[in-house]
């Protein structure tokens, strides 16, 4: 089992920045990749950014050049630095971890990000 706890959401004006953190605990050795998803009201959950065990990263086109995903292995924490935020970035952001065996998904409880215009 893997437990994920997010923090760092909040209210920010357009053009501002926020940094989300996701602390992982439990069976950390079983994790293959981690990422951030978001879900806006009335929309499906979508991948924002992912980071794989080898360090490769992937981003949604809508956030490329503005968001950066990184990790601190010593702290078992993944970060999402969000710059130049737009109102359309408003959503609940969820941390995700994928297990090496079976591809099991683990989710955090979500953190609200609201960007005002």
């Amino acid at each position: 089992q893997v437990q994920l706890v997010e923090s760092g959401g909040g209210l920010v004006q357009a053009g501002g920045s926020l940094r989300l953190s996701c602390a992982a605990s439990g069976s950390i050795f079983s994790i293959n990749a981690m990422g951030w998803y978001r879900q806006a009201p009335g929309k499906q959950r979508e991948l924002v950014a992912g980071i794989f065990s080898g360090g490769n990263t992937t981003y949604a086109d809508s956030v490329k050049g503005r968001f950066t995903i990184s990790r601190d292995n010593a702290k078992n924490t993944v970060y999402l630095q969000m710059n130049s935020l737009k109102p359309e970035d408003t959503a609940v952001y969820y941390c995700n971890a994928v297990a090496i065996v079976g591809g099991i998904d683990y989710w955090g409880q979500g953190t609200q990000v609201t960007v005002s215009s």
Side-chain angles (χ1 to χ4, degrees):
Q1 288 289 331
V2 174
Q3 294 78 44
L4 304 173
V5 178
E6 302 112 333
S7 60
L11 173 64
V12 65
Q13 289 188 333
S17 298
L18 283 174
R19 189 177 79 156
L20 305 183
S21 299
C22 174
S25 61
S27 303
I28 307 299
F29 60 88
S30 69
I31 296 174
N32 180 32
M34 294 187 70
W36 289 94
Y37 286 72
R38 67 186 180 187
Q39 188 167 19
K43 295 187 177 181
Q44 290 188 334
R45 190 173 297 189
E46 62 175 356
L47 175 67
V48 176
I51 186 164
F52 300 91
S53 56
N56 291 339
T57 58
T58 186
Y59 296 92
D61 288 342
S62 60
V63 307
K64 284 181 180 177
R66 301 188 297 122
F67 291 10
T68 302
I69 189 170
S70 62
R71 67 185 184 190
D72 184 333
N73 290 331
K75 296 182 178 180
N76 295 323
T77 299
V78 172
Y79 303 97
L80 185 68
Q81 178 66 43
M82 305 186 293
N83 298 328
S84 302
L85 283 161
K86 304 175 181 180
E88 51 263 45
D89 294 318
T90 295
V92 178
Y93 283 70
Y94 297 90
C95 182
N96 168 265
V98 181
I100 295 173
V101 178
I104 297 173
D105 278 299
Y106 298 96
W107 295 94
Q109 80 283 1
T111 185
Q112 177 71 45
V113 171
T114 303
V115 184
S116 63
S117 57

